C-alpha cells in the first residue's frame, strides 16, 4: 500500500492530548509519524494530501448502528451501511444484535465478521445479545459470544425487564470483561406509547411514552452496576431525569456511562406537530440562519420524527446538551436505524421507531455542541473517538505512532444541504432532508486506504 502524507492540517487527537497544526504520515496501513518527523520520514514518491484549514483526527467511531444484516437487508446491508458510515466520516461502527436471526450466538457473530470482511468498507465491530433471541427471558451464552469477538452485549430495541436476570447478565459480563449496553425502557410504564408524554401528545392525540419510563431503568442500571461492579452503558439518553441520575451516580464512582444522539439534542416533541409549530418555539434555539435559506418544512405526524426513546421537551434537550458539556455523557452516536419508505409511510401509531443518522451526526453534533459553544473541538472529538474506544476496549480512537491508520478529515465550517438523493444508506428515513448543515467529513481513511473524499481535487499526487 502506498504511503500517504497529510500536510498542514490541524491535528486533534484527544487520546494523546494533541491539538496543533502538523503533518501525519501513513504507511503500511499504520500511523508512522505525526509532527515534524512526518515530512522528514516521507519518501520522495509519497502521495501528498493537502489538508490545510481542515481538522485531522482519529477515525470516528459510532458504537450504535443498526446494519439490519442478516435478515432485514431490504432496509440496509453491510455494504450500504458501511458506505453511509464512510460518507459520514466514520471508520469504525458497532452493529446492534436485533437482526433476524438475532446476534445471540457465536455462529451469527462469525457470519457478520465474514460479511463485513467481504462487503464492509469500514471496521465493523459486533455487539451480541444479552438474552436469547432478545426475548428477555433466558441469558444468551455470553462467554461464547465473547470468544466469538463481540465487544459488548445489549438487547437494544428491547430492554431486559426482569431485574434478577439483568443482575446475572451483569455478573457474567463482568467475568468476561464485557460492557453491557442498555436500551432503557420500562415496559409497564411505557406500554404502547409512541411519542413523549406531555403537552404535544395530548394535542395530537397520540399515546404517551413518559420520561419516567427511561429514568426508571437508568436508576435500575445504576443500582445494579453498583451491586455487581459491572460496567453498564445507558444507550440514547433522552430525558433530563436520566442525565441527573447519571451525573449523581458518576460522582459516587459507579461504573456507569451514557450516550446521546443528535436528534435528541437538536429536535423536540414539538416537531411531531409539524415544522411550523417547531420553528415557532423550540426551533428558535437552533443555530440556523433562516435569512440565507428556507427553513425546512414537514407536516404534523411525520413518522421520520418517531424514534425510541422519543423526542422530548426543550428542557430535556437542554439537559442532554448540559450533560454532554459537563462530561456526564461521554459518548456521541447515531442510533442509525434504517426503515423502508413503505414501512414509514403509515399512520404514526403503526410506523416503526427510528431514523438513519450516520451521514448527519457529525454536522449536527458540531452545530449544537461546537458552533453552539458548549464543547471545544477536542472534547467533541473525544466523544466520537477515544471515549467509545475505551468503553469497548477497541484498539482504535488514537493517532499514536503504530496505531491503525484510521483517520477522519473534516471541515467544521463547511455548509451543505442534506439531500435525499445523496445518501449512501439503502433507506431514507431521516427528518433532516433539506436541512442546511454546518460541518462535514472531507476524507475518510481506513487502514491507510482513502475510502471516500468529498473533493477529489484535494488529492494530489
Ligand atoms: Zn435502542
Amino acid at each position: 500500500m502506498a504511503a500517504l502524507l497529510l500536510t498542514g492540517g490541524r491535528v486533534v487527537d484527544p487520546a494523546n492530548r494533541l491539538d496543533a497544526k502538523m503533518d501525519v504520515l501513513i504507511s503500511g496501513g499504520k500511523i508512522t509519524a505525526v509532527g515534524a518527523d512526518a515530512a522528514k520520514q516521507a519518501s520522495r514518491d509519497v502521495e501528498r494530501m493537502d489538508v490545510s484549514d481542515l481538522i485531522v483526527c482519529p477515525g470516528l467511531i459510532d458504537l450504535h448502528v443498526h446494519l439490519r444484516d442478516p435478515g432485514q437487508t431490504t432496509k440496509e446491508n453491510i455494504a450500504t451501511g458501511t458506505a453511509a458510515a464512510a460518507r459520514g466520516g466514520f471508520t469504525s461502527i458497532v452493529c446492534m444484535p436485533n437482526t433476524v436471526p438475532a446476534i445471540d450466538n457465536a455462529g451469527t457473530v462469525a457470519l457478520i465478521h465474514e460479511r463485513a470482511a467481504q462487503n464492509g468498507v469500514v471496521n465493523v465491530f459486533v455487539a451480541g445479545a444479552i438474552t436469547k433471541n432478545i426475548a428477555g427471558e433466558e441469558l444468551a451464552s455470553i462467554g461464547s459470544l465473547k470468544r466469538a469477538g463481540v465487544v459488548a452485549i445489549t438487547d437494544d430495541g428491547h430492554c431486559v425487564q426482569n431485574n434478577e436476570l439483568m443482575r446475572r447478565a451483569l455478573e457474567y459480563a463482568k467475568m468476561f470483561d464485557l460492557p453491557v449496553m442498555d436500551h432503557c425502557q420500562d415496559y409497564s410504564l411505557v406500554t404502547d406509547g409512541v411519542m413523549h408524554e406531555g403537552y404535544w401528545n395530548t394535542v395530537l392525540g397520540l399515546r404517551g411514552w413518559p420520561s419516567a419510563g427511561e429514568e426508571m431503568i437508568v436508576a435500575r442500571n445504576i443500582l445494579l452496576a453498583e451491586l455487581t461492579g459491572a460496567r453498564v452503558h445507558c444507550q440514547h439518553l433522552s430525558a433530563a431525569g436520566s442525565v441527573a441520575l447519571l451525573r449523581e451516580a458518576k460522582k459516587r464512582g459507579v461504573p456507569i456511562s451514557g450516550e446521546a444522539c443528535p436528534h435528541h439534542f437538536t429536535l423536540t416533541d414539538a416537531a411531531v406537530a409539524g415544522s411550523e409549530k417547531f420553528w415557532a418555539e423550540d426551533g428558535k434555539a437552533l443555530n440556523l440562519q433562516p435569512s440565507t435559506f428556507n427553513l425546512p418544512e414537514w407536516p404534523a405526524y411525520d413518522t421520520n420524527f418517531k424514534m425510541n426513546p422519543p423526542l422530548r421537551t426543550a428542557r430535556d434537550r437542554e439537559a442532554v446538551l448540559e450533560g454532554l458539556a459537563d462530561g456526564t455523557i461521554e459518548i456521541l452516536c447515531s442510533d442509525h436505524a434504517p426503515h423502508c419508505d413503505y414501512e414509514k409511510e403509515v399512520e404514526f401509531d403503526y410506523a416503526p421507531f427510528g431514523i438513519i443518522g450516520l451521514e448527519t451526526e457529525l454536522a449536527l453534533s458540531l452545530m449544537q455542541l461546537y458552533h453552539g459553544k458548549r464543547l471545544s473541538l477536542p472534547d467533541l472529538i473525544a466523544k466520537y473517538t477515544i471515549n467509545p474506544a475505551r468503553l469497548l476496549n477497541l484498539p482504535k480512537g488514537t493517532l499514536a505512532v503504530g496505531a491503525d491508520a484510521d483517520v477522519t478529515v473534516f471541515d467544521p465550517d463547511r455548509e451543505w444541504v442534506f439531500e435525499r438523493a445523496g445518501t449512501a444508506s439503502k433507506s431514507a428515513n431521516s427528518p433532516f432532508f433539506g436541512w442546511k448543515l454546518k460541518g462535514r467529513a472531507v476524507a475518510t481513511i481506513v487502514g491507510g486506504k482513502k475510502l471516500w473524499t468529498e473533493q477529489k481535487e484535494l488529492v494530489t499526487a
Side-chain angles (χ1 to χ4, degrees):
M1 197 180 294
L4 177 65
L5 183 67
L6 305 175
T7 61
R10 175 179 163 193
V11 176
V12 180
D13 178 12
N16 295 298
R17 297 177 187 280
L18 275 185
D19 181 1
K21 204 168 169 162
M22 54 181 95
D23 299 344
V24 176
L25 178 64
I26 292 166
S27 60
K30 303 282 179 189
I31 305 286
T32 40
V34 178
D37 293 347
K40 276 187 223 152
Q41 288 184 24
S43 58
R44 202 178 276 177
D45 60 346
V46 71
E47 179 183 347
R48 288 164 183 272
M49 187 169 162
D50 177 8
V51 292
S52 39
D53 301 323
L54 297 172
I55 306 298
V56 177
C57 69
L60 305 180
I61 301 166
D62 186 336
L63 57 48
H64 195 147
V65 173
H66 296 271
L67 287 177
R68 307 298 193 203
D69 199 344
Q72 297 176 308
T73 49
T74 48
K75 298 172 193 266
E76 192 80 284
N77 60 41
I78 286 174
T80 57
T82 56
R87 288 188 77 108
F90 288 81
T91 59
S92 292
I93 57 179
V94 179
C95 62
M96 294 295 111
N98 61 336
T99 47
V100 183
I103 310 175
D104 63 358
N105 65 82
T108 312
V109 178
L111 172 79
I112 292 164
H113 282 152
E114 200 181 300
R115 283 192 186 169
Q118 272 169 9
N119 308 322
V121 293
V122 306
N123 306 299
V124 175
F125 294 96
V126 179
I130 299 173
T131 64
K132 285 185 182 158
N133 203 27
I134 312 197
E137 285 163 7
E138 202 184 335
L139 289 185
S141 304
I142 296 170
S144 88
L145 284 169
K146 165 80 180 189
R147 280 191 297 278
V150 304
V151 297
I153 52 171
T154 174
D155 270 4
D156 183 49
H158 293 81
C159 176
V160 177
Q161 300 296 292
N162 182 317
N163 296 328
E164 197 271 335
L165 189 67
M166 189 64 171
R167 174 191 177 168
R168 281 198 284 127
L170 297 194
E171 284 168 345
Y172 274 106
K174 193 187 174 198
M175 269 169 25
F176 297 111
D177 194 27
L178 275 177
V180 178
M181 309 201 286
D182 198 23
H183 165 121
C184 303
Q185 178 177 353
D186 183 291
Y187 292 173
S188 61
L189 270 173
V190 174
T191 63
D192 52 0
V194 294
M195 77 171 285
H196 175 65
E197 181 183 294
Y199 172 75
W200 285 112
N201 83 297
T202 314
V203 170
L204 296 168
L206 293 170
R207 292 187 301 273
W209 194 136
S211 294
E214 176 180 285
E215 292 153 5
M216 190 74 75
I217 298 294
V218 171
R220 182 272 306 260
N221 289 345
I222 289 166
L223 294 171
L224 291 182
E226 206 163 15
L227 177 68
T228 61
R231 288 180 291 151
V232 185
H233 176 72
C234 297
Q235 297 178 287
H236 44 44
L237 294 173
S238 65
S242 302
V243 181
L245 284 162
L246 198 64
R247 183 178 289 121
E248 190 275 337
K250 288 179 78 164
K251 261 186 207 141
R252 284 187 292 125
V254 180
I256 190 113
S257 58
E259 68 186 33
C261 310
H263 47 270
H264 287 130
F265 58 78
T266 303
L267 301 169
T268 64
D269 59 346
V272 183
S275 51
E276 217 173 298
K277 297 280 191 295
F278 179 73
W279 295 121
E281 293 183 30
D282 299 344
K284 283 184 187 155
L286 302 185
N287 245 329
L288 302 166
Q289 302 102 29
S291 55
T292 58
F293 79 114
N294 294 327
L295 286 172
E297 290 175 19
W298 62 88
Y301 303 98
D302 184 332
T303 58
N304 283 330
F305 294 84
K306 179 178 179 181
M307 49 286 274
N308 191 9
L311 301 173
R312 299 204 187 273
T313 66
R315 193 182 134 264
D316 295 294
R317 176 178 65 182
E318 180 63 24
V320 172
L321 286 166
E322 278 170 17
L324 285 161
D326 73 9
T328 300
I329 302 173
E330 297 149 70
I331 291 170
L332 290 162
C333 62
S334 65
D335 188 10
H336 179 82
H339 292 294
C340 302
D341 288 351
Y342 75 86
E343 295 172 294
K344 277 289 199 182
E345 283 166 5
V346 295
E347 289 89 333
F348 201 88
D349 279 339
Y350 301 115
F353 292 98
I355 60 167
I356 55 170
L358 281 164
E359 292 168 75
T360 47
E361 61 181 308
L362 176 61
L364 291 165
S365 298
L366 286 164
M367 288 161 73
Q368 285 291 77
L369 295 162
Y370 170 64
H371 295 300
K373 305 210 182 329
R374 291 174 187 268
L375 274 183
S376 68
L377 219 37
D379 286 345
L380 190 156
I381 289 168
K383 291 183 200 290
Y384 273 126
T385 55
I386 191 62
N387 295 358
R390 280 195 186 125
L391 175 75
L392 303 176
N393 296 318
L394 307 181
K396 300 285 181 187
T398 169
L399 293 179
V401 170
D404 293 340
D406 295 349
V407 182
T408 300
V409 180
F410 72 89
D411 181 348
D413 299 310
R414 177 82 50 93
E415 293 190 339
W416 59 293
V417 176
F418 185 47
E419 303 282 8
R420 192 184 169 101
T423 67
S425 173
K426 225 177 186 186
S427 291
N429 52 317
S430 171
F432 297 111
F433 289 126
W435 284 56
K436 188 171 158 193
L437 304 174
K438 193 171 181 183
R440 189 170 200 184
V442 172
T444 307
I445 298 165
V446 178
K449 200 170 138 204
K450 268 185 309 204
L451 278 187
W452 184 74
T453 53
E454 190 208 28
Q455 283 186 323
K456 286 276 177 344
E457 62 268 26
L458 265 176
V459 183
T460 51

